[in-house]
């Protein structure tokens, strides 16, 4: 859930995000690099026409209309970067958590004696640090 935006977003940030989405739309629909650049320059000119609007209500309405137009024209195979959410390589490499090493067999740990000796020392240091910061846990009264 780290991809959910929180807080208020300024109008200028919304316009910048919309501009990036428009450029991705152009890249999805046009395949020749020269045409992509040409369409991008034309789109930038459209954005520059409205950059000096001082009335925020008018600017907001223009942005809403443009977002609706983009949603109506959105390409069926929208361009996504491989590592981004929805991309073909998103979360492809799963990094196992550290606690998995606690369940290794002693024979497996014997292959890396220095690593596991240092790891055990660091675990003890962390436990001492934890006790100094938070104190000892209360005894369980069952």
């Amino acid at each position: 859930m780290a991809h959910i935006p929180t807080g208020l977003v300024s109008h200028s940030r919304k316009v910048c995000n919309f501009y990036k989405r428009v450029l991705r739309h152009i890249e999805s629909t046009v395949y020749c690099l020269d045409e992509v650049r040409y369409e991008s320059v034309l789109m930038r000119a459209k954005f520059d026409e409205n950059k000096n609007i001082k009335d925020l209500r008018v600017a907001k309405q223009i942005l809403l209309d443009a977002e609706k137009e983009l949603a109506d024209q959105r390409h069926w195979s929208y361009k996504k970067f491989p590592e981004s959410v929805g991309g073909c390589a998103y979360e492809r490499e799963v990094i196992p958590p550290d606690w998995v090493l606690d369940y290794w067999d002693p024979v497996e740990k014997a292959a890396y004696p220095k690593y596991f000796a240092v790891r055990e020392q660091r675990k003890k240091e962390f436990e001492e640090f934890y006790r100094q910061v938070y104190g000892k846990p209360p005894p369980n009264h069952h």
Side-chain angles (χ1 to χ4, degrees):
M1 293 306 228
H3 305 291
I4 298 175
T6 58
L8 298 175
V9 181
S10 67
H11 179 74
S12 61
R13 175 57 45 204
K14 289 178 185 177
V15 171
C16 289
N17 289 340
F18 178 67
Y19 180 68
K20 288 172 79 171
R21 284 185 282 147
V22 168
L23 292 182
R24 295 292 168 254
H25 172 75
I26 291 171
E27 290 172 357
S28 297
T29 55
V30 180
Y31 299 105
C32 177
L33 290 178
D34 294 336
E35 290 180 36
V36 168
R37 180 66 185 145
Y38 178 73
E39 293 293 327
S40 299
V41 169
L42 291 179
M43 188 56 62
R44 180 58 191 238
K46 288 182 182 179
F47 273 80
D48 287 341
E49 287 174 10
N50 297 320
K51 73 178 181 181
N52 293 324
I53 295 177
K54 300 295 182 197
D55 188 2
L56 196 57
R57 291 176 296 176
V58 174
K60 184 177 179 180
Q61 189 58 45
I62 290 172
L63 180 62
L64 290 174
D65 294 342
E67 284 182 340
K68 184 178 182 328
E69 183 181 345
L70 179 64
D72 292 342
Q73 296 178 0
R74 186 164 176 171
H75 193 260
W76 60 272
S77 179
Y78 194 70
K79 179 178 180 173
K80 296 177 187 160
F81 292 102
E83 299 286 333
S84 63
V85 177
C88 62
Y90 178 66
E91 291 186 344
R92 180 179 288 179
E93 180 181 346
V94 178
I95 300 172
D98 184 61
W99 58 263
V100 171
L101 295 174
D102 291 334
Y103 293 97
W104 276 28
D105 191 71
V107 175
E108 294 173 318
K109 290 181 180 181
Y112 308 98
K114 286 183 180 178
Y115 175 80
F116 282 98
V118 171
R119 185 171 185 275
E120 290 301 319
Q121 180 62 33
R122 298 267 163 80
K123 282 172 55 178
K124 289 177 186 174
E125 291 171 2
F126 180 76
E127 288 175 6
E128 290 174 20
F129 168 76
Y130 187 87
R131 282 193 200 100
Q132 287 176 356
V133 173
Y134 300 106
K136 286 190 172 186
N140 291 339
H141 297 287
H142 290 277

